[in-house]
Amino acid sequence: MNTSARPPQPGDKGGQVKEPRKRVRGPKPVLRTARFEDYDRLMRLEAHFDPKTLSLDAWRGLWLSSPLWSEVGSWWPIGWVLEIPTGELVGCTGNLPVGYHFRGERLLGAIGRAFLVLPENRGYGASSKLVNEFFSQRADFGMSTSANTDAITTYSHFVHKIPAGDWGAVAYFITGYRAFADRALQKLKVPLAQTLAPVAGAGLRMKDALLGKRFPKPHSAFTIEATEGFDSSFDVFWNELLRQKSEILLNTRDSATLSWHFSRDMRERRLWIFTASRNGQLRAYCIFARKDHETEPRRVRLVDYQTIEPEADLLPDLLAAALGRCVAEEICVLDVSGLGLPKTRAFEELTPYRRKQTWPFWYRAINPDRKSVV
């Protein structure tokens, strides 16, 4: 945990951190709470950063389809926006309610979404205003799960890095050697990259075959399957996970919450779910999400692994199934973000490659006593 400086707390005098003075080019924006009626203007703003925006139903569903909305919807802010006199929105951050459990107590987390400010409107401390509002709301804690390099400067004044694990590192397997080599050579601006890619890819494949770690023998007592969604077996699994890990802060993982959280990926057929069962009972699962970008090789990421099986590490069995699918569907890379976590140790031990990334996960305890407000 970063303890070099205490983040400002609600009610502190002078607690808000001022941004460095910058050259102001656009009109001064005003901060206000976002409304569902802001959809069109918000999508115009988001399109400045990513042209692939959500439909109205998908965007409203981020809140209205949440299992928590019936409890918090009457007072929960869906986010905040920065508005200029013309009515244009020049900044925003979304605000999603997420349930957590710790020592038998229900907690309420706030997860940020689409923290954006147009460059010409950042000179009035606009970014800090949004972050201050988000991390001062009525919740037990706030969290950002996708901070980029532009956001880090602002976030670091207010919040801490997630203390468990090294989230500045990514471990990965190569599963499409030729395409991976082609992209790597192009990125390095090597002449004749496409011509050299087959040879470079074959070299990588041979190196992994000779030096790569061997997967352990599969556990014969367990059945590994792929499934398309989250049925009632995930509820039984969740209740047992909650019982076994009551001393760990757990994000709610019942079937309704998982279906809501991964709804977009499932709708776009970008989610893979693999389960390990024994005698018809779910004992572990892995969730993988496609993370393709136009400028990068086709990629799948392990986004959640949970197990209630104390006698066997089922992650290698589930990984083997996912790697097979990567090859079948011409995916180039299978990776995991964050190292040093006990439950995914097998991934680290088996995978041969590492790379760095911007630290994505930041948090702040808004309610230091963690008294539930759900």
Side-chain angles (χ1 to χ4, degrees):
M1 181 181 295
N2 178 9
T3 57
S4 58
R6 182 181 72 89
Q9 302 296 316
D12 284 356
K13 293 184 177 180
Q16 295 190 357
V17 177
K18 295 182 179 180
E19 293 181 340
R21 185 178 299 276
K22 301 176 183 178
R23 182 167 62 90
V24 176
R25 290 177 290 178
K28 184 176 181 179
V30 175
L31 177 73
R32 67 167 173 82
T33 303
R35 302 184 290 263
F36 285 119
E37 293 77 19
D38 291 324
Y39 168 77
D40 289 332
R41 288 182 291 170
L42 278 169
M43 292 306 105
R44 284 197 295 271
L45 172 61
E46 290 190 19
H48 284 280
F49 300 88
D50 184 354
K52 190 176 181 181
T53 58
L54 293 176
S55 68
L56 175 60
D57 287 343
W59 180 75
R60 287 170 60 90
L62 293 174
W63 293 274
L64 301 183
S65 297
S66 166
L68 284 178
W69 195 247
S70 61
E71 298 181 63
V72 304
S74 63
W75 56 268
W76 184 267
I78 66 170
W80 295 270
V81 298
L82 293 166
E83 187 175 29
I84 58 176
T86 62
E88 180 185 1
L89 302 183
V90 297
C92 68
T93 185
N95 185 42
L96 303 175
V98 183
Y100 283 80
H101 297 255
F102 183 64
R103 294 180 177 175
E105 185 180 15
R106 294 180 67 199
L107 305 176
L108 181 61
I111 304 295
R113 177 193 177 274
F115 171 52
L116 308 170
V117 181
L118 293 178
E120 60 267 30
N121 299 99
R122 296 175 183 172
Y124 298 96
S127 299
S128 292
K129 290 178 182 178
L130 284 171
V131 175
N132 263 317
E133 200 72 18
F134 177 80
F135 286 108
S136 301
Q137 64 176 301
R138 178 185 169 189
D140 290 303
F141 58 89
M143 184 180 298
S144 170
T145 60
S146 57
N148 58 27
T149 52
D150 292 331
I152 293 301
T153 300
T154 302
Y155 278 158
S156 61
H157 294 303
F158 301 91
V159 295
H160 298 291
K161 289 181 176 180
I162 294 295
D166 176 10
W167 295 95
V170 173
Y172 64 97
F173 295 93
I174 299 174
T175 55
Y177 289 92
R178 178 173 178 172
F180 181 89
D182 184 19
R183 174 54 60 186
L185 292 172
Q186 289 188 43
K187 192 172 183 179
L188 293 171
K189 299 182 179 180
V190 175
L192 303 175
Q194 290 185 330
T195 302
L196 296 173
V199 177
L204 283 171
R205 184 190 298 273
M206 183 176 295
K207 180 182 78 70
D208 285 355
L210 294 174
L211 303 177
K213 298 285 184 68
R214 296 290 184 264
F215 273 64
K217 184 179 178 180
H219 297 88
S220 59
F222 296 87
T223 301
I224 306 300
E225 295 179 302
T227 183
E228 297 297 322
F230 304 100
D231 59 21
S232 59
S233 66
F234 284 83
D235 295 319
V236 177
F237 179 96
W238 164 244
N239 290 331
E240 177 60 19
L241 183 71
L242 200 57
R243 186 191 69 79
Q244 289 186 13
K245 301 185 178 181
S246 62
E247 294 298 314
I248 298 174
L249 180 67
L250 287 177
N251 184 188
T252 303
R253 287 178 170 87
D254 58 17
S255 62
T257 301
L258 290 172
S259 297
W260 165 73
H261 182 82
F262 292 110
S263 59
R264 182 180 184 183
D265 288 317
M266 288 194 292
R267 186 169 57 249
E268 298 178 356
R269 303 185 68 82
R270 297 171 59 87
L271 200 73
W272 299 355
I273 309 165
F274 290 94
T275 62
S277 301
R278 184 180 61 191
N279 299 325
Q281 300 297 314
L282 180 61
R283 304 301 293 174
Y285 69 79
C286 270
I287 302 175
F288 300 85
R290 292 282 296 270
K291 297 292 183 180
D292 299 345
H293 296 284
E294 292 182 0
T295 59
E296 296 180 2
R298 300 175 72 189
R299 180 166 58 94
V300 167
R301 170 159 291 182
L302 171 61
V303 294
D304 193 20
Y305 167 63
Q306 299 296 329
T307 181
I308 56 174
E309 181 56 52
E311 302 300 328
D313 185 358
L314 297 170
L315 181 55
D317 297 19
L318 294 162
L319 273 178
L323 288 167
R325 183 167 176 176
C326 285
V327 173
E329 298 190 13
E330 299 182 340
I331 304 298
C332 296
V333 173
L334 187 152
D335 68 19
V336 67
S337 174
L339 305 182
L341 300 173
K343 69 178 180 179
T344 54
R345 183 179 296 113
F347 196 112
E348 293 184 48
E349 293 175 349
L350 292 168
T351 188
Y353 300 102
R354 303 285 187 273
R355 67 176 176 83
K356 296 292 185 181
Q357 69 171 3
T358 302
W359 194 286
F361 295 121
W362 299 77
Y363 83 101
R364 177 178 174 184
I366 301 172
N367 179 357
D369 295 329
R370 293 200 300 267
K371 294 179 180 176
S372 177
V373 295
V374 175

